[in-house]
Amino acid sequence: KYDGRRAILYRTDAGLGPGEVREIVVAPNGSIWFVCRGGGVSRLDSTGWNTYTEQDGLADNYVWDGSVSADGKLWFGTWVNGLVSLFDGERWATFGPAQGLSSGGYVWAVAAGQGGTAWAGTSNGLGYFDGSAWRMQSSFGGAAVDDVRSVTITADQTTWIGTYDYQQGGQVAMFREGVWRVFGEADGLTPGEGVWSLAARPDGTVYAGTTNGLYRFDGIRWMLVAGSPRYVNDIAFAQDDSLWVATEFDGVSRHDGMAWQDNYRLGDGLPGLRMNTVAIAPDGALWVGGDGGASRLIVRR
């Protein structure tokens, strides 16, 4: 405990599955799910830890991303065989080529929609599940895209995707009312290797985490948030409306709406150098995960 802040570190000896923590998902019932690359998925709730692997019905232990629907169903995308798993709380279901999901081997991102629908960002474009089958898409607004790294759905059911392209730089595409709109360098995004994360505030403002830093969409153009750290892997919004980012090389940082404030690094209780994911629990605690495990941070002000 130091300076009014307390960090608790969770590793495999606490019950967390082995492997790098790629994503943290907070379910509606308050349980916390940890996506572990190589270790399956682990759930922490009031009863303790429980880890699910291939032996339990998970498609693959190498999981890259996860998402939860409003009714509590969990979606997970796998990294080696490019499959998607669905967990309804009791049973597992797996989706692959037989169901129309042609991922090219990597499911980088998943996002749960309404009514049993879901989106999957893959190395072969974007997959959409309509409740019974998947269909793939690799062209958006006339732009060919074959590597979708991030997906988010806003409250108004607009779908946003972030892409990776080493030559052209990452782009963001928006799907609203049946029409795709693509944003790139001409719309304020700086050419870079990829758009790794997308998230929306409760008011609908969309942010993009990229190789070059954190961008905010003002409805017309993308603006780089001043002083932003680079290599933003994930974005989360706290109850006080502050913004937190997890980064590849500089831990986690908080932006209070005006300026960047707290920055936590390896020596401040983080499990490792590279932080892949950040999430806010119902009790207001900040969860971060990455290389080395996961940490729970309680910030007292």
Side-chain angles (χ1 to χ4, degrees):
K1 183 177 180 180
Y2 59 97
D3 192 28
R5 300 176 177 89
R6 180 167 59 98
I8 307 169
L9 178 62
Y10 295 85
R11 299 187 188 275
T12 53
D13 57 0
L16 179 67
E20 183 180 67
V21 178
R22 291 297 317 177
E23 182 66 29
I24 299 174
V25 181
V26 179
N29 63 4
S31 61
I32 315 293
W33 290 77
F34 302 83
V35 172
C36 305
R37 189 180 68 173
V41 294
S42 296
R43 182 188 67 202
L44 177 63
D45 58 19
S46 59
T47 66
W49 288 88
N50 192 17
T51 294
Y52 298 88
T53 66
E54 296 174 23
Q55 295 180 342
D56 303 294
L58 182 66
D60 195 295
N61 289 342
Y62 281 82
V63 191
W64 195 265
D65 195 28
S67 180
V68 63
S69 62
D71 60 0
K73 292 183 174 62
L74 280 299
W75 294 86
F76 300 102
T78 65
W79 190 60
V80 176
N81 54 23
L83 302 177
V84 168
S85 283
L86 170 64
F87 184 58
D88 65 4
E90 297 181 359
R91 295 175 298 275
W92 289 90
T94 296
F95 303 94
Q99 294 78 34
L101 180 66
S102 177
S103 66
Y106 299 93
V107 177
W108 302 111
V110 289
Q114 293 183 331
T117 62
W119 298 83
T122 81
S123 54
N124 195 35
L126 181 69
Y128 174 70
F129 183 67
D130 63 8
S132 58
W134 290 84
R135 65 173 184 266
M136 302 298 301
Q137 182 174 354
S138 58
S139 178
F140 310 96
V145 174
D146 60 2
D147 204 347
V148 178
R149 295 299 181 100
S150 52
V151 184
T152 194
I153 304 172
T154 55
D156 63 359
Q157 294 304 296
T158 299
T159 299
W160 297 79
I161 67 170
T163 71
Y164 168 88
D165 190 310
Y166 184 76
Q167 294 180 335
Q168 298 182 17
Q171 296 177 309
V172 172
M174 175 187 71
F175 184 65
R176 178 181 293 165
E177 298 179 350
V179 178
W180 284 98
R181 180 182 175 186
V182 179
F183 304 92
E185 183 179 0
D187 306 289
L189 292 173
T190 303
E193 294 183 356
V195 178
W196 309 122
S197 56
L198 289 162
R201 285 190 185 276
D203 65 4
T205 303
V206 177
Y207 289 78
T210 77
T211 306
N212 297 295
L214 182 71
Y215 286 81
R216 179 179 60 85
F217 185 59
D218 65 5
I220 300 176
R221 292 183 57 81
W222 292 90
M223 307 292 292
L224 182 65
V225 178
S228 167
R230 300 185 67 197
Y231 299 95
V232 175
N233 288 329
D234 201 13
I235 309 162
F237 303 100
Q239 296 171 359
D240 62 1
D241 206 35
S242 62
L243 179 152
W244 290 83
V245 297
T247 71
E248 187 79 1
F249 303 111
D250 199 29
V252 295
S253 294
R254 181 180 70 93
H255 192 277
D256 65 2
M258 299 295 293
W260 294 97
Q261 302 294 339
D262 305 313
N263 176 245
Y264 298 91
R265 298 184 174 91
L266 182 59
D268 301 317
L270 296 186
L273 175 66
R274 181 173 61 211
M275 292 296 98
N276 300 316
T277 177
V278 57
I280 310 296
D283 63 359
L286 179 81
W287 285 89
V288 294
D291 185 18
S295 290
R296 178 173 181 256
L297 177 68
I298 302 172
V299 181
R300 294 186 174 93
R301 304 189 188 286

